[in-house]
Amino acid sequence: MRHLPYFCRGRVVRGFGRGPKHLGIPTANFPEQVVDNLPDASTGIYHGWASVGSVDVHKMVVSIGWNPYYKNTRKSMEAHIMHTFKEDFYGEILATSDQKRTDSLDSLISAIQGDTEEAKKGLDLPEHLKLEEDNFLQVPKSKIMNGH
Ligand code: ADP
Ligand code: MG
């Protein structure tokens, strides 16, 4: 993993509908181009900030993992944003800053549920709070890219 924070931006794509949305935990999936640029050792659960097509920045938990649908040859990156959106936002530009890695957990569901409280508290620390106002998150660009 390159040094955190790790910034990613891309249009939200459809996953396999396996996000546990019925439990109130939808995960917005990043497109292949963004996932393919992730460093090899990037799998895990992170928390950081996210914006969806606007300047509103929210706390989020993101999971980067090997995708069993592709026999674990491809990674997926999916973010649960701690905000209630009026509607789905497939196709919108999602920008995230992965700032703090937590231990990888067995299932996406338990990971997100377990990490949510930790993320909410952890991101209020001054070192993480300062990125809430970072330009990367506040000025969505129309191109797909990621960087750090
Ligand atoms: P998919 O398998 O297509 O990713 P999910 O069940 O994981 O389906 O639902 C993800 C979608 O839910 C996102 O692409 C987004 O449009 C929508 N969504 C609504 N609220 C949120 C939220 N708070 N965090 C992430 N995605 C959300
Ligand atoms: Mg999903």
Side-chain angles (χ1 to χ4, degrees), residues 81-110:
I81 300 161
M82 295 173 209
H83 178 73
T84 304
F85 292 88
K86 288 198 196 79
E87 50 192 26
D88 287 353
F89 46 84
Y90 290 106
E92 295 282 344
I93 301 282
L94 170 66
T96 59
S97 65
D98 306 350
Q99 286 168 240
K100 177 96 170 52
R101 190 170 197 274
T102 59
D103 288 338
S104 217
L105 300 173
D106 286 348
S107 79
L108 181 64
I109 303 174
S110 62

Side-chain angles (χ1 to χ4, degrees), residues 8-147:
C8 295
R9 183 187 283 131
R11 283 189 194 279
V12 177
V13 297
R14 282 192 184 273
F16 291 93
R18 74 195 164 102
K21 208 179 200 166
H22 54 289
L23 297 178
I25 312 171
T27 59
N29 291 49
F30 272 104
E32 245 174 69
Q33 296 94 316
V34 172
V35 179
D36 286 349
N37 280 316
L38 291 168
D40 281 348
S42 58
T43 54
I45 311 291
Y46 301 81
H47 44 254
W49 300 99
S51 65
V52 178
S54 80
V55 295
D56 294 336
V57 176
H58 310 286
K59 292 175 180 177
M60 62 108 206
V61 177
V62 65
S63 162
I64 301 173
W66 293 102
N67 194 326
Y69 285 87
Y70 294 107
K71 297 198 163 76
N72 299 327
T73 57
R74 284 187 166 279
K75 272 183 261 185
S76 68
M77 179 178 190
E78 26 194 291
H80 174 67
I81 300 161
M82 295 173 209
H83 178 73
T84 304
F85 292 88
K86 288 198 196 79
E87 50 192 26
D88 287 353
F89 46 84
Y90 290 106
E92 295 282 344
I93 301 282
L94 170 66
T96 59
S97 65
D98 306 350
Q99 286 168 240
K100 177 96 170 52
R101 190 170 197 274
T102 59
D103 288 338
S104 217
L105 300 173
D106 286 348
S107 79
L108 181 64
I109 303 174
S110 62
I112 289 175
Q113 286 176 333
D115 279 9
T116 298
E117 279 310 307
E118 186 187 340
K120 280 181 177 162
K121 288 188 208 123
L123 285 169
D124 284 331
L125 297 171
E127 70 204 86
H128 295 306
L129 208 52
K130 63 178 191 246
L131 270 190
E132 184 185 5
E133 296 182 357
D134 195 276
N135 277 347
F136 184 90
L137 298 171
Q138 303 215 335
V139 188
K141 303 236 169 60
S142 57
K143 62 180 181 183
I144 292 168
M145 57 167 280
N146 59 358

